[in-house]
Amino acid sequence: MAFKPLHDRVLVRRVESDEKTAGGLIIPDSAKEKPAEGVVVACGAGARDEDGDRIKMDVAEGDKILFGKWSGTEVTIDGEELLIMKESDILGIITDGAAAKAA
């Protein structure tokens, strides 16, 4: 993929949600909400402060993140639907320990 976000923006691929509930009920497509989890595909170089120095990004490529329901702008790149959002729209990074604890 030949796309690099600018400044403090990130390119995110949504993580698909489960087809079933914990009780085993199948969720129809019409009732599904778009997932608020994703994986960072690409990061910009970071914003600049008043002195012109780069502010390091807190996320990196490959990080699994949680973001707001209405965050980002949907784009299609190479036939794949992705999101471009500012780093400030990201609520947090999901670590392996948190994912194992949630399961």
Side-chain angles (χ1 to χ4, degrees), residues 9 24 30 33 42 59 65 67 88 93 98 100 103:
R9 290 182 173 77
S30 60
E33 291 187 14
V59 295
I65 60 167
F67 51 87
S88 60
I93 299 172

Side-chain angles (χ1 to χ4, degrees), residues 34-61:
K34 290 190 177 180
E37 290 182 21
V39 176
V40 176
V41 176
C43 292
R48 293 192 182 268
D49 62 12
E50 292 87 27
D51 298 328
D53 298 325
R54 289 270 183 206
I55 301 170
K56 185 178 179 292
M57 299 277 282
D58 290 329
V59 295
E61 290 180 24

Side-chain angles (χ1 to χ4, degrees), residues 23-34:
L25 297 174
I26 297 175
I27 303 169
D29 289 337
S30 60
K32 285 185 188 175
E33 291 187 14
K34 290 190 177 180

